[in-house]
């Protein structure tokens, strides 16, 4: 099976702009989660989607949003970018409740 | 606030030596995961621990879980250079779907 695919791999944006990141989960996985990884804060949970419904949301401002489509593909959007949004954004998909999350290679976002 | 603490944060060890990484968490959880991350790469799942007393082993790595003490350990036996990476533990609080809370990570360097 193909792994979790994230596009693009790298993004450079300017403060105030918005950005959309894309994630294709492993075939058959209905749970898709997003995480932000930074050197200072580590890995932080953004949100989880299951069957097109947001099931959980982390402690991030409303500028961060996401959605999941009927084919389980997911997108994450960040509006009004700030310098502090520079990070590696990781998407992960899961098969069932007790199974591990499988992570994509991430999108490296740099905000200048 | 849920906390997942790992120690040590940094570990430099010689090849052939044994060592243990500790993961303490502050919530009731029925699942604990260990991941490995190589520099510039994504996270790779190592172990899934689903019950008190669970022990899993793969090669030179062995993970265990004590849910009463809210403690998991990752034991490294006869370290080799290829084990150099950052290791993360992650817990999922009860009834939160796939919302993972990650530890701070332990950066392991194995010196020849």
């Amino acid at each position: 099976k193909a792994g979790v695919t994230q596009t693009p791999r790298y993004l450079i944006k300017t403060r105030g702009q918005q950005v959309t990141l894309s994630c294709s989960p492993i075939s058959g996985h209905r749970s898709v989660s997003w995480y932000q990884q930074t050197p200072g804060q580590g890995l932080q949970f953004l949100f989880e989607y299951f069957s097109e419904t947001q099931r959980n949301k982390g402690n991030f401002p409303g500028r961060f949003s996401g959605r999941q489509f009927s084919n389980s593909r997911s997108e994450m959007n960040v509006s009004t970018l700030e310098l502090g949004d520079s990070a590696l954004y990781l998407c992960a998909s899961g098969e069932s409740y007790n199974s591990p999350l499988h992570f994509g290679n991430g999108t490296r976002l740099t905000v200048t | 606030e849920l906390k997942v603490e790992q120690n040590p944060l940094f570990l430099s060890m010689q090849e052939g030596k044994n060592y243990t990484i500790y993961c303490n968490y502050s919530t009731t959880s029925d699942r604990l995961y260990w991941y490995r991350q190589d520099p510039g790469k994504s996270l790779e799942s190592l172990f899934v621990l689903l019950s008190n007393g669970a022990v899993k082993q793969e090669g030179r790595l062995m993970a265990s879980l004590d849910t009463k003490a809210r403690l998991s350990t990752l034991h490294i036996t006869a370290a080799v250079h290829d084990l150099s990476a950052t290791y993360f533990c992650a817990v999922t609080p009860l009834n939160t779907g796939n919302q993972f809370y990650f530890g701070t990570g332990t950066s392991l360097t194995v010196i020849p």
Side-chain angles (χ1 to χ4, degrees):
Chain A
K1 279 185 180 178
V4 177
T5 305
Q6 291 187 247
T7 56
R9 288 297 307 278
Y10 302 94
L11 268 176
I12 300 176
K13 291 287 187 179
T14 305
R15 272 182 303 174
Q17 288 186 315
Q18 76 165 21
V19 67
T20 299
L21 313 182
S22 182
C23 172
S24 293
I26 292 173
S27 177
H29 289 192
R30 292 193 291 165
S31 169
V32 175
S33 306
W34 289 87
Y35 289 81
Q36 182 196 64
Q37 186 175 28
T38 60
Q41 299 298 318
L43 280 152
Q44 293 187 284
F45 172 77
L46 281 156
F47 25 67
E48 181 206 2
Y49 287 87
F50 184 86
S51 294
E52 301 180 66
T53 300
Q54 186 179 88
R55 189 156 66 174
N56 289 294
K57 190 177 192 309
N59 189 26
F60 278 82
R63 300 185 296 107
F64 291 81
S65 63
R67 58 178 176 168
Q68 186 181 31
F69 302 95
S70 59
N71 62 358
S72 292
R73 193 176 68 85
S74 177
E75 287 182 347
M76 184 189 118
N77 186 75
V78 188
S79 62
T80 319
L81 284 166
E82 300 177 0
L83 294 178
D85 297 333
S86 295
L88 178 66
Y89 290 88
L90 293 164
C91 172
S93 71
E95 184 174 14
S96 63
Y97 182 73
N98 285 333
S99 62
L101 292 180
H102 298 269
F103 285 82
N105 288 327
T107 294
R108 173 75 62 184
L109 172 64
T110 302
V111 182
T112 62
Chain B
E1 180 189 344
L2 191 157
K3 290 186 178 179
V4 184
E5 295 178 333
Q6 288 181 236
N7 70 82
L9 297 183
F10 298 94
L11 176 56
S12 180
M13 55 191 297
Q14 287 187 315
E15 279 190 333
K17 299 292 187 182
N18 305 331
Y19 209 83
T20 300
I21 298 171
Y22 297 88
C23 172
N24 289 90
Y25 53 96
S26 64
T27 187
T28 301
S29 174
D30 57 354
R31 295 178 284 162
L32 188 134
Y33 303 82
W34 283 96
Y35 284 86
R36 167 183 172 144
Q37 187 176 36
D38 292 287
K41 305 286 188 180
S42 190
L43 283 86
E44 173 191 354
S45 175
L46 294 174
F47 299 109
V48 180
L49 302 169
L50 300 175
S51 61
N52 186 43
V55 177
K56 295 279 185 73
Q57 182 164 5
E58 180 72 33
R60 301 174 186 274
L61 300 178
M62 183 174 71
S64 66
L65 178 61
D66 182 342
T67 57
K68 294 178 181 177
R70 297 181 179 175
L71 170 68
S72 180
T73 61
L74 180 65
H75 186 73
I76 302 156
T77 302
V80 293
H81 180 68
D82 285 351
L83 291 179
S84 297
T86 299
Y87 293 85
F88 292 93
C89 63
V91 298
T92 53
L94 292 178
N95 304 317
T96 59
N98 276 335
Q99 183 171 350
F100 281 36
Y101 287 85
F102 281 86
T104 47
T106 297
S107 177
L108 170 65
T109 302
V110 180
I111 304 167

